[in-house]
Amino acid sequence: AMSLKRLAFFDAVIAGMAEGVIVQSRSGDIEICNSSAEAILGLTAQRVDGDGTPDPFRNALRHDGSPFPKSEHPAAVTLRTGEPQHDVIMGIEKPDGSLTWISINSEPVRECPDAEPKSVVTTFRDITASIAAEKEILEKNAELSLKDREIQTLLTLIPDIITRAKPDTTITFVNDSYAKVVGFPAEELIGRKFLDVVVEEERAIVEANIARLTPQDPISYMEQRMQMTGSGDRWYWWSNMMRFENGKPTEIISVGRDVTALRKARQTVADQARGLHQANSLLRQFAGITSHDLQAPLRHIAMFADMLKSELGPDAGSTLEHANSISERVQLMRVMIRSLLHFVEIVNEDD
C-alpha cells in the first residue's frame, strides 16, 4: 500500500512540474511524458505515446544552428555512457513548423548502481525567449562592434588630435594623429599622463584650465604650444570636456586642432597693423609740418602778390595778370593743404 501511495505521489509531482519530463527506455520508446513536456513540444499524450508517433526530437538543431544528430542527444548519450548530461541546448521543430529552444538535463535510471541504465529521465525547459534575447544582444553587439570599427577608422583618418584620459590626465586612448604630434607610438602613451608631454611652461595653464571644469560648465577652450618632433613648435586649439557621474569627474576628452597657420596669419596681420600705425604716425607728423611750414610761406607770397597788384595800375597789362595768377595759385595751394589735413584726420579716426 505504501509503495502505491509513493508511486501516486511521484506521479503527482511529475505531473505538476513546470519543466517537461520524459522517461525513455533503452530502445528509445517514451514511457512517461508529463503535460509540461507536451506543451513545450507542442504534442498531445496520445501523439507522444501512440505507436508510429513522430519523434518530437527529430530535426533537432544545436545552439549554433547546425544539425543535432540523434546519437548525440542527451538521452542517447546517457543511455550509452551512463553519464548524466546538463544544460544541453537544443532546438526542436514543433508540428506547426515553429522552432522552440530547450535546455535539457538527463539522468540514468538503474536497478542497481553498477548496472547499465535501464532507462533515462530527461527534463527540459523552454528557453526560446532567452535565446531570442541573447540573439538580439549579439546582433546589437555586432552592430556596435562595426560602429566602433568605423569610429576607430574615422579617428585614425581625421587630422585633429584626440585623447581620452582619467581626471588626473592618465591617458586611456589616443588617435594616431596625437601619437605623430608627440613622437611616441600610441601604445606607449597609454597609461602616461598627457601633462608629461605638455611644454613645461604651459603645464600650469593646462592644469588650471582643467581644474575649473564643473558639471555645470564641463567644457573649456585654450590655445597651447606643443613641441613637434623634428619640426619645432606648433600651436593647437584645444577643446576639453570633462565627464561627470554623480558630480564626480570620471573622464576628460580632449580634441586639438592645429592652428599654427592661423596664428602666423594673425601675427602677420598684427605686424601689418603696427606698421600701418607707424605710417599713420609719420603722416600725422607730416601733416603738422605741412600746416605750419607750408602755410606760413604761402601767407607771405599772397601778401606780396596783393602788394604788387595794389602798386600796379589797371594798365599794367601782363604784369598785373602775372600778379593775379600768383594769387590764384596760392589759393589753390591752400585748398590742397586743407584737403591733405582732412585726409589725415580721416585716417587717424580709422586708426
Side-chain angles (χ1 to χ4, degrees), residues 317-337:
S318 60
T319 303
L320 183 59
E321 290 180 4
H322 293 326
N324 289 330
S325 180
I326 292 173
S327 296
E328 291 173 358
R329 296 297 184 273
V330 168
Q331 185 61 29
L332 180 60
M333 192 67 178
R334 285 174 173 170
V335 170
M336 292 175 65
I337 292 173

Side-chain angles (χ1 to χ4, degrees), residues 14 21 47-48 59 87 138 150 155 171 230 236 268 283 337:
I14 292 173
V21 179
R47 290 193 62 186
V48 171
N59 302 327
D87 299 320
L138 290 174
E150 292 174 346
L155 293 180
I171 297 171
Y236 280 80
T268 300
L283 184 59
I337 292 173

Side-chain angles (χ1 to χ4, degrees), residues 49-348:
D49 296 334
D51 294 336
T53 301
D55 181 0
F57 299 100
R58 71 191 184 285
N59 302 327
L61 299 175
R62 294 187 185 277
H63 192 196
D64 61 4
S66 62
F68 203 143
K70 189 171 182 179
S71 61
E72 298 179 20
H73 290 190
V77 173
T78 296
L79 286 171
R80 184 172 63 250
T81 66
E83 297 294 330
Q85 305 295 303
H86 300 288
D87 299 320
V88 178
I89 296 176
M90 178 186 290
I92 58 170
E93 184 181 349
K94 288 184 176 181
D96 62 5
S98 62
L99 183 65
T100 295
W101 291 95
I102 58 176
S103 178
I104 305 173
N105 296 309
S106 61
E107 293 285 343
V109 178
R110 297 183 174 92
E111 292 184 347
C112 59
D114 296 330
E116 289 186 350
K118 178 183 178 182
S119 58
V120 60
V121 177
T122 302
T123 62
F124 50 89
R125 57 190 177 89
D126 190 335
I127 59 168
T128 305
S130 299
I131 292 293
E134 178 185 344
K135 182 180 179 182
E136 183 179 358
I137 290 172
L138 290 174
E139 289 174 350
K140 287 183 177 179
N141 286 341
E143 291 177 3
L144 290 175
S145 178
L146 177 60
K147 289 180 179 178
D148 287 342
R149 290 195 297 272
E150 292 174 346
I151 291 172
Q152 193 70 26
T153 301
L154 177 63
L155 293 180
T156 301
L157 294 176
I158 62 176
D160 291 348
I161 60 179
I162 300 173
T163 69
R164 296 176 66 179
K166 297 178 181 179
D168 65 353
T169 78
T170 299
I171 297 171
T172 59
F173 167 84
V174 297
N175 68 340
D176 289 347
S177 297
Y178 184 89
K180 290 177 183 177
V181 166
V182 299
F184 291 97
E187 57 272 15
E188 292 185 14
L189 291 167
I190 305 302
R192 294 182 59 182
K193 292 186 176 181
F194 66 66
L195 279 176
D196 294 344
V197 297
V198 173
V199 179
E200 186 172 356
E201 53 268 28
E202 297 280 335
R203 290 179 188 172
I205 300 173
V206 175
E207 288 178 324
N209 191 268
I210 294 173
R212 69 181 184 82
L213 299 177
T214 64
Q216 294 74 32
D217 189 14
I219 301 176
S220 67
Y221 306 94
M222 66 174 296
E223 199 169 84
Q224 175 194 339
R225 180 167 61 90
M226 297 187 68
Q227 292 176 332
M228 296 283 289
T229 304
S231 60
D233 293 349
R234 297 192 72 83
W235 289 86
Y236 280 80
W237 178 257
W238 284 97
S239 303
N240 300 309
M241 181 183 74
M242 184 73 79
R243 298 177 65 183
F244 293 86
E245 291 183 7
N246 299 322
K248 294 183 178 180
T250 58
E251 182 183 41
I252 182 168
I253 301 173
S254 302
V255 179
R257 173 161 294 183
D258 191 336
V259 293
T260 306
L262 178 61
R263 186 180 178 87
K264 288 181 178 179
R266 289 203 306 262
Q267 186 63 44
T268 300
V269 172
D271 292 342
Q272 291 175 345
R274 283 194 295 272
L276 182 61
H277 180 75
Q278 291 174 355
N280 289 341
S281 178
L282 292 174
L283 184 59
R284 283 193 296 271
Q285 294 176 18
F286 173 73
I289 294 172
T290 300
S291 63
H292 182 270
D293 294 349
L294 292 183
Q295 294 201 59
L298 284 178
R299 285 195 296 271
H300 288 87
I301 293 172
M303 181 181 67
F304 286 119
D306 289 342
M307 290 174 60
L308 181 61
K309 286 189 290 183
S310 64
E311 293 178 0
L312 295 173
D315 300 329
S318 60
T319 303
L320 183 59
E321 290 180 4
H322 293 326
N324 289 330
S325 180
I326 292 173
S327 296
E328 291 173 358
R329 296 297 184 273
V330 168
Q331 185 61 29
L332 180 60
M333 192 67 178
R334 285 174 173 170
V335 170
M336 292 175 65
I337 292 173
R338 285 197 297 270
S339 298
L340 179 60
L341 291 174
H342 182 61
F343 171 72
V344 171
E345 291 176 358
I346 293 175
V347 169
N348 289 335

